[in-house]
Amino acid sequence: MGMKMLSAALACAACGLASAKDPVEGWLGFATGTSPDGKGRITRAEAKWQVLDAPKQGGCFYSPWFGVESSDNMNLFQPVNPWTGGGWSAYVEYFQWFPVWNENSASIEVKPGDVLHGVVTFNEAEQTYTAVHTNLNTTKSITKSIHVQKQGLFSSKYKEYTIMYVVFEKTCASCAQYPPNEKVTFYDIALEYEGKRVQPVWKTSFVDDVCDNRANVVDNSTIAITWRAH
């Protein structure tokens, strides 16, 4: 099951999938990055972060991740790093809200302390995004591509991905189920629009207020997400 399927089920029960969109229930602290002039498509996005330690208490599924999103907040392409209950993993996920569709790449093994490097690039001629998710310690990587969805059933125009998200996702019953590090830092963040690197405009927020999980802008290329693990 992908990161978003539980959120989709909750959204369906609450208000119908046709009106559901990101950010959604289950997102804790997150940062939103956009173009300084509000124009253009994302053509490249990347970030690095370190795999966290195992939690002191099990029984929960969650993930730090970054991703690129369509301007209508309905299509999300993300290198993820979930704690699956018995260990950490890394793979690439695509989720769209309408019609609902979720697909994941194969996964690679990662362990605490490993550094992950996710890179997402856009191919205009093919209208595709490709994500490469690499464990820099082992050099193992996975690659996944997706086609950009059109704006409507009878439209010839494609959606534009204009938003970068940095997120900690999924709620747990106890703060002790989160990693004892109490912080994950996404660094060396680089964001390009129409082939030109920009200094993104960052805003921070949260959906579910759990264990004081909050995103913080350290600088234009660094986002730290903190929480309580006790």
Side-chain angles (χ1 to χ4, degrees):
M1 178 180 291
M3 286 290 298
K4 304 285 286 187
M5 293 310 292
L6 177 58
S7 298
L10 291 172
C12 182
C15 60
L17 287 171
S19 60
K21 61 175 65 178
D22 295 318
V24 72
E25 290 182 6
W27 287 28
L28 307 185
F30 68 92
T32 305
T34 54
S35 170
D37 62 7
K39 299 178 181 178
R41 293 166 299 186
I42 291 175
T43 50
R44 182 181 177 91
E46 65 178 292
K48 297 173 184 172
W49 70 98
Q50 192 171 55
V51 179
L52 299 166
D53 294 335
K56 301 298 184 183
Q57 180 180 329
C60 195
F61 176 87
Y62 47 81
S63 178
W65 55 264
F66 84 90
V68 296
E69 178 107 43
S70 57
S71 59
D72 61 1
N73 275 299
M74 298 286 281
N75 306 73
L76 179 62
F77 193 41
Q78 51 187 148
V80 299
N81 172 212
W83 172 259
T84 59
W88 293 99
S89 181
Y91 56 88
V92 178
E93 179 172 6
Y94 171 69
F95 185 88
Q96 69 181 36
W97 280 105
F98 189 79
V100 173
W101 182 253
N102 181 228
E103 59 183 74
N104 299 327
S105 70
S107 63
I108 55 174
E109 181 180 351
V110 299
K111 61 183 181 181
D114 287 350
V115 174
L116 302 182
H117 183 202
V119 180
V120 181
T121 55
F122 177 60
N123 184 316
E124 183 174 7
E126 298 180 358
Q127 285 293 315
T128 59
Y129 277 93
T130 298
V132 181
H133 204 5
T134 304
N135 182 333
L136 295 181
N137 291 71
T138 65
T139 72
K140 291 183 178 179
S141 66
I142 44 164
T143 301
K144 182 174 180 59
S145 297
I146 55 106
H147 289 279
V148 177
Q149 188 181 29
K150 290 187 176 179
Q151 293 181 11
L153 184 61
F154 302 106
S155 176
S156 61
K157 295 182 178 180
Y158 291 90
K159 292 188 178 185
E160 294 187 350
Y161 283 65
T162 59
I163 305 164
M164 180 177 183
Y165 282 120
V166 179
V167 182
F168 199 107
E169 186 175 6
K170 291 293 184 284
T171 62
C172 294
S174 167
C175 294
Q177 293 174 295
Y178 291 113
N181 315 70
E182 297 188 327
K183 182 179 181 179
V184 58
T185 301
F186 291 80
Y187 63 97
D188 288 351
I189 296 173
L191 188 57
E192 295 181 6
Y193 285 81
E194 307 298 349
K196 296 181 179 180
R197 184 164 177 174
V198 304
Q199 297 293 320
V201 175
W202 291 106
K203 295 181 179 180
T204 63
S205 189
F206 62 91
V207 177
D208 290 330
D209 188 5
V210 175
C211 301
D212 297 326
N213 192 297
R214 296 291 187 271
N216 306 276
V217 179
V218 179
D219 55 45
N220 277 323
S221 60
T222 311
I223 301 292
I225 300 178
T226 59
W227 59 89
R228 287 187 298 104
H230 59 274

